[in-house]
Structures are given as C-alpha cells and as structure tokens.
Amino acid sequence: MTCPFRLSVINDEISQDFDHSCHVAAKDFGLQWIELRGMWNKNITDLNATEIADARKILEKYQLRVTDIASPLFKVDWPGAPLSKESPQHDQFHADFDFKQQDKLLEHCIELTKAFQTDRLRCFDFWRLEDPKPYRAAINDKLRQAADTCAKSNVILLLENEMACNTGTGEEGAATLAAVTNKNFMINWDPGNAGTFPGNVPYPHGYDALPKDRIGHCHCKDVIRKPDGKYDWAPVGGGLVDWVGQFQALKRDGYHYAVSLETHWRGAETPEASTRISMKGLKDALGKAGIQC
C-alpha cells in the first residue's frame, strides 16, 4: 500500500545546512518530498543564482521533489490600516519585504517554482488586524490578482491559515475561499495554527468548514493552550490537534497533496532533535489512522 500523501518536512526545521536537511529527510525519514523555506541563513527568496543551482544539485543527489515554495508573500502590513500588533516582532524566517515589494516578490516566487519544479506557492493575507472588516474586500482583491498572475504560469497559490495573519482558522479560511474563487487559489491547511485560538477545534470543526476540493497543502504541527489563554507548540501527537482523525478524514476525502511537518516545537536540544521527535509523532499518528507512509 502506497502513502496517499506527499509526506514531507520543511527543510529549515531541521537545519540551515541544506545538504544535511536533505540527508535527514531522505535517508533518516525516508521521504521523497521536501518543502523549501530557507537555507544557509537566507530566506529562499533571497538565494542567488549560484545558490539556487547548488540547492537543485543537492535535491537531485537525494532524489527529493519539492512540494512547494514556502514564501513569505503578503506577510506584511496592509497599507492604510492601523498597525498590526504582529508586525514589529514576528519571526519572518529571514525575510524582510514591505508592501510595495510584493508584486515583484510574487514574480520572483513564480520563477522559483520553475527553478525547483513545483506548481505550488505559499502566501499569507497580511499581518492580523484588530478589525479586518473595513479592509477585507481590498485584501481579497489583492489575493485574486495574485492568483491571476500565478495562473498565467500554471502555479497554484496556497493561502496558509496563520494565527498572525487575517486568515487564522479553518472557519476564516472557508470565508476567504468563498470570496476568492480562483480555481488555482487553495488553502494551506494548518490545524496547529488554528488551534492557537482559544476555543477553536481545528479538527473536526475547522476542517469541516473547508471545501475539501480546495485544500492544496497541509502543515503538520501540534499546540497546547495554557490556562492564561496563551499557547505553546508541542510535538505532533502531544497537543490538542486530533491528528489521527484528521489524517483519516484527509484520506477519506481524497486529499493527495503534501502533509508537511512544520515542527515549530523546540523542546529537544536542537531544531533537528525536535523535528526527529515530531516526525516520529507524525508517523505514529498515521499508523494509528491506518495509513502506511
């Protein structure tokens, strides 16, 4: 029985040494897919031509295919809106672009999808506003325009539900998808991110809200909520996300794109050690769901 998903890991959750990340992914985790976000202490969007060529050689060496370009597209403030509390200090994974640079960044990201032979590009919908309603229509227009640009190159634009941005939960994702109807605009479903919101139940509630034919990518992480309302990341299987149920539902609903480990949890000594523990948790959850990967 073959794995129904493109089981993957975000490379810089292991190491900034790209060769080492690929070795761990292919040789230790037994993966055929990897998600690209940053390497050599650079965001993927900042790599020069030589570094891109080197990265391609490393991928070929380990026979790894790329699920998507995990870009920081639209992870910026919405112009004219009150400054988001998320914008000044949020970790941007070595990316630093402002709103005026986004169209140029989009074009560059599309070039990266071609360089790394993938048809998927991750984006966000701007740092989270206290009240996005006055700006939501314009934000949706921007997402439509970006999807139109991607469509010209046969690229699928993946909006991640991100707690620091304006689409943070499955329910909010469903609303955004209903407004932005481009066929190549899909959600990067992240139950862990949705679980950071007090009272939110990523699976089944958030997942049930989503149109299943518009889930184009899935991030796997886990989260715990503390009594003070704040959250901490957890190894997969150690938090509130029902990953066994979620994996069963994804398989049942015919999902066959990436399930990509985005560890975030740093409870072990190093990012790599933490990712190894979380990958074991992910594979254990797949096993409990009756899925062989």
Side-chain angles (χ1 to χ4, degrees), residues 3-280:
C3 182
F5 313 128
R6 300 171 181 177
L7 195 59
S8 173
V9 62
I10 299 183
N11 70 289
D12 59 6
E13 292 282 352
I14 299 170
S15 171
Q16 287 292 327
D17 180 334
F18 189 55
D19 187 283
H20 182 66
S21 292
C22 288
H23 183 277
V24 171
K27 302 299 184 183
D28 295 352
F29 295 163
L31 306 180
Q32 296 176 310
W33 295 86
I34 195 164
E35 181 171 355
L36 303 185
R37 185 173 62 197
M39 56 197 74
W40 306 311
N41 295 309
K42 283 187 172 184
N43 187 273
I44 191 169
T45 57
D46 285 330
L47 298 182
N48 61 39
T50 299
E51 290 164 333
I52 290 171
D54 289 344
R56 289 179 60 174
K57 289 174 186 174
I58 291 169
L59 290 166
E60 187 175 348
K61 173 182 173 183
Y62 292 103
Q63 296 183 294
L64 286 166
R65 297 172 66 185
V66 175
T67 59
D68 68 306
I69 302 299
S71 84
L73 183 67
F74 300 148
K75 212 171 191 183
V76 294
D77 282 301
W78 183 255
L83 189 67
S84 168
K85 66 181 181 181
E86 300 291 348
S87 62
Q89 75 287 340
H90 206 76
D91 186 355
Q92 297 181 58
F93 298 98
H94 305 288
D96 187 17
F97 300 94
D98 64 22
F99 182 83
K100 293 178 182 178
Q101 296 170 294
Q102 296 305 298
D103 290 344
K104 186 176 179 180
L105 177 62
L106 173 58
E107 294 289 352
H108 180 53
C109 288
I110 291 171
E111 292 172 0
L112 288 173
T113 67
K114 304 307 176 189
F116 288 105
Q117 297 181 299
T118 180
D119 67 347
R120 274 150 217 270
L121 170 63
R122 188 267 304 268
C123 75
F124 301 91
D125 65 346
F126 307 94
W127 294 125
R128 194 170 183 91
L129 299 170
E130 290 293 332
D131 180 14
K133 286 193 281 301
Y135 312 97
R136 189 69 245 187
I139 289 172
N140 290 340
D141 280 341
K142 189 67 177 176
L143 295 174
R144 285 188 204 100
Q145 292 165 13
D148 284 341
T149 300
C150 286
K152 294 172 186 174
S153 297
N154 296 313
V155 169
I156 293 166
L157 187 62
L158 301 164
L159 175 69
E160 179 166 350
N161 62 288
E162 154 73 48
M163 61 280 178
C165 295
N166 289 298
T167 294
T169 64
E171 292 84 354
E172 290 175 348
T176 304
L177 290 171
V180 184
T181 57
N182 306 56
K183 290 182 179 179
N184 69 318
F185 183 74
M186 303 177 81
I187 195 162
N188 175 165
W189 173 227
D190 190 320
N193 284 350
T196 64
F197 291 87
N200 189 271
V201 181
Y203 179 82
H205 298 166
Y207 176 75
D208 285 349
L210 294 169
K212 307 305 178 282
D213 61 346
R214 296 186 69 191
I215 301 174
H217 193 78
C218 181
H219 276 165
C220 189
K221 64 166 76 79
D222 220 331
V223 65
I224 56 173
R225 283 200 298 264
K226 300 187 288 187
D228 62 3
K230 296 180 181 179
Y231 65 88
D232 276 331
W233 300 120
V236 176
L240 59 83
V241 178
D242 176 8
W243 277 110
V244 174
Q246 179 67 89
F247 288 145
Q248 289 173 330
L250 287 169
K251 182 184 177 185
R252 177 198 70 214
D253 294 332
Y255 178 80
H256 58 276
Y257 303 114
V259 167
S260 188
L261 177 63
E262 186 183 26
T263 314
H264 272 17
W265 173 72
R266 292 291 181 263
E269 290 129 13
T270 64
E272 179 180 336
S274 302
T275 294
R276 287 180 181 274
I277 292 169
S278 230
M279 179 58 79
K280 182 181 183 303

